[in-house]
Amino acid sequence: MKKNYGSIYTLPMAFWVTLFFLVPVLIVFLYSFLERGEHGGVVWIFSLNAYRDMLSPTFIHILGITLFISLLSTALTLLIALPCGYYMARSRRKSLYLFLIIIPFLTNFLIRIYAWQAILGNSGFLNNLLMRLGLIDNYIQFLYNEWAVIIVLVYSYLPYAILPLYSTIEKFDFSLLEAARDLGASHPASILRVMIPNIRSGIISAVLFTFIPTFGAYAVPKLVGGGRNSFMLGNLIADEILVNRNWPFASATSILITLVTTAAMGLYVFANKSAARAAQRKRI
Amino acid sequence: MKKSRFSRIVFFLTLIFLFMPLIVLVVYAFNESKNMSWTGFSLVWFQRLFTASRSIWRAFWNSILIALSSAATATAIGTLGAIGINWYSFKLKKYVQTISLLPLILPEIIIGVSMLIFFVGAGLHLGLLRIYIAHTTFNLPFVLLVLMSRLDEFDFSIIEAARDLGAREHQTLLKVIIPMAMPGIISAFLIAVTMSLEDFVITSFVSGPGSSTLPVHIYSMIRTGVSPVVNALSVVLLGGTAGLVFLMRPFFKYITHE
Amino acid sequence: MKGSEVRIEGIDKHFGDFHALKNVGVDIQKGEFFSLLGPSGCGKTTLLRIIAGFETPSAGIVYVDGRNILPLPPNRRQVNTIFQNYALFPHLTVFENVAFALRLKKYGKQEINSKVEEYLNLTKLTGQEYKKPAQLSGGQKQRVAIARALVNEPDVLLLDEPLSALDAKLRQHMLIELDMIHDKIGITFIYVTHDQQEALSVSDHIAVMNEGRIVQVGNPTEIYESPADIFVANFIGEANLFNGTVTAVEGEMVWVAVEPLGILKVTMEPGDLEGTRDFKPGRRVSITVRPEKINISLEKPADLPADAFNFFPCAVDEVIYNGFQSKFFVTIPDFARFTLKVFKQHMSYYSTGSEINWKDKAWIWWKADDAYLVEVHDA
């Protein structure tokens, strides 16, 4: 009988992800059902306090804000990314445009956030410009609210939405649009009824690539948000871990985010099931 | 057929939206004053960056060290994993595949928090070691994905051909699979290095005091407000990245065209 | 004669619920060009992969020169394979692809060079040594795959639909070349194909497979002229089939009642009416007549001995001009259920009469010994 080299090859990886990913996530799950320790950590007593805390008005407000910001950012990103992906896919200068989309992301993530601080800050570029043009007398507070967070989130995740859309639109057979026009559809109708259904997988990827990180956003709201309406679940977790030292509550919130994320992913897998099955059939 | 004017306008506005912050950043790195109003050309912030900010450079070297070591580990483990998952069937394959790709879909903060709690529980206090482990973990799924899609381009009959011609398992691995996957291995490594250099959220959770990476250090600088030293730093990083990309052009050619 | 004899005994293979091979047994002689022919999904590739060592059978044994090779892994079998998609190593040059097995065997530099050159020469690849597979045409890739397998000097060469990726012209050309290579090196070739033309033109023997079984083994003439059953008759070439009942047998002559055509006469070869093919009166049988064996003309043929020929008046429904031949689809009046195919080379039908057109009334006839009887399983 031949040895199964598949399990030998995957052993190091299986070991690593089990120990350093699965076990930590399971610990978090476990901690969420325990009593909080006095100075951080946990006391080994079963408790649902962490989940009960989720019913507080404050938590519900933060959850609502998080959903509002992440859903709106996702929708805006998609609305911008769709025409961009379409234009790039139809253009003759595809690789140039791809390169241009990626360039801004060769700088560090934090430096990109910082650039927005420098633009939107009270003594920032935009306020300076507006004052110099005489449009305003005193600075406007652009930063530290939900709108600043949304702008920077859209900015941060736009390429992650454009790239999958671009690649599915690029594979789309544009003669189908001509066929639709030939059969009497208007240009918008042909796009809506023929192209959109055919690039569904790209749209779903774009939505997920934007929604998942924005729902769990931490650094962006920390740096350009922070007000009552721009404090998100990610910030709550960090505060509970580092400041309030309520580890079970931080754990429970993490579990909530994990569940929402995996549910979104599950929907994605479900939506792609038929396609995946077809692909698998091809491999056999 | 006429191209939609609407998508063209959106695309070019988007390019402006994407580039404007960088342009502002670069221009004001050469501004004399600390404020965002232009007072005159100066290199004072670059001077400050290179002479008065030794901690930035310590963080920078930490970042490089972590990036290279964690990317190398993730690439090695992940390449073998991708070979196993793509071309073999074995017990627990579904488990390994799912669990290895899962870190990709969870928001960074979840990975950061769970690793922090794990390290505290395990009594592991060495900051750099924690960062190395964390980075290797979140890099693994990227390496796995890149290599799986690379290996997907090849038919399994190539492996059968190698065996048919007399190669034993280790010879098939070393003489056929790995050389064939090499462009994928290199790009996976480069992606892993980039992801590691980028990461702030997970690192900020697991790193203790005294072991910051460049992004964590930048965070501590910008949290307190605008400082043109950061502008100068971003110009240096941008230039450095552009230079590296330029130097590695033949490499990219190799990756994309073999 | 070089090469090995291959003996396959009682091979069964299950993939989950799917029974891919059912008690397959066949003897392949030393140095012959042997084809496994059948439609896709008939199990021919699975059988080849069992011989190569990529699949383990559920039951049965494969002997090469009398030795059971099933316990050996593929890398230790004196058998090499040419894969359907060539499976060339994309990172290696043509030279290195061919040298692959020799390097594994730790041959010396001199020996590797001379052997690789020899086989590149055999496959007409001299001058292409330093190209990568991506730079080669389909035909060249095919040649590299052949050279790479042969440089090992295997006892048996397995070819898994090697020409299926090539276009029609090139396929013809490569087939002839494969045949020439076989003649030159003389080892056993086992060739898997779904293309009956390929199999008929180069094979010493053919095994026709269907639904996991071997239904007939024979040389090309036997397979074409004396198909074992309706499947073989239909799969190899084209056939007109008449179902009927045997009414009388006299020596090699069989009379078959076909409703509502009447009695058709079939002459069999000596020995063709033995064993399971002992067609006694009352047996349900099928008569097969190859389209090219039917004659057609506008006038009723004169002077044909009635006991050696079958002839019928017919209506020409369709004429398809194919260049080197014409295909007629004709119906026999009062017998519309049967549309017959009649293929004629132009020379021969022009010489026997005037041109036949669509909607003409004509006559068809064929010799009793140009028809053949096959079993009908439903009875």
Side-chain angles (χ1 to χ4, degrees), chain C residues 28-71:
Chain C
I28 298 166
Q29 285 151 30
K30 232 179 223 299
E32 74 168 324
F33 198 125
F34 190 93
S35 292
L36 293 168
L37 172 65
S40 66
C42 70
K44 56 193 191 299
T45 295
T46 307
L47 185 57
L48 195 80
R49 290 170 60 80
I50 286 172
I51 304 171
F54 303 130
E55 305 280 359
T56 317
S58 315
I61 302 182
V62 175
Y63 298 101
V64 171
D65 285 339
R67 186 161 154 247
N68 178 7
I69 58 162
L70 290 183

Side-chain angles (χ1 to χ4, degrees), chain B residues 167-246:
Chain B
R168 277 182 286 160
E169 188 65 30
H170 70 277
Q171 292 169 317
T172 309
L173 182 70
L174 294 177
K175 292 190 192 260
V176 177
I177 303 179
I178 289 184
M180 215 164 65
M182 198 42 98
I185 293 174
I186 291 170
S187 46
F189 178 78
L190 290 179
I191 290 173
V193 166
T194 316
M195 301 297 299
S196 171
L197 289 176
E198 265 291 288
D199 182 73
F200 161 69
V201 177
I202 295 173
T203 315
S204 75
F205 274 91
V206 299
S207 69
S211 59
S212 76
T213 59
L214 190 60
V216 173
H217 192 86
I218 293 174
Y219 175 77
S220 68
M221 290 169 76
I222 68 178
R223 197 177 37 173
T224 48
V226 171
S227 154
V229 176
V230 180
N231 290 48
L233 176 64
S234 59
V235 170
V236 171
L237 289 180
L238 258 177
T241 316
L244 263 180
V245 170
F246 184 77

Side-chain angles (χ1 to χ4, degrees), chain B residues 117-162:
Chain B
I117 288 178
F118 173 77
F119 287 142
V120 170
L124 182 69
H125 299 298
L126 274 170
L128 283 183
L129 182 60
R130 284 177 172 192
I131 300 173
Y132 161 78
I133 292 174
H135 283 210
T136 305
T137 308
F138 73 67
N139 270 332
L140 260 174
F142 288 100
V143 173
L144 191 63
L145 272 188
V146 169
L147 275 150
M148 279 171 63
S149 71
R150 170 79 191 172
L151 294 179
D152 247 357
E153 291 170 25
F154 303 110
D155 204 89
F156 186 70
S157 61
I158 289 177
I159 308 302
E160 290 182 337

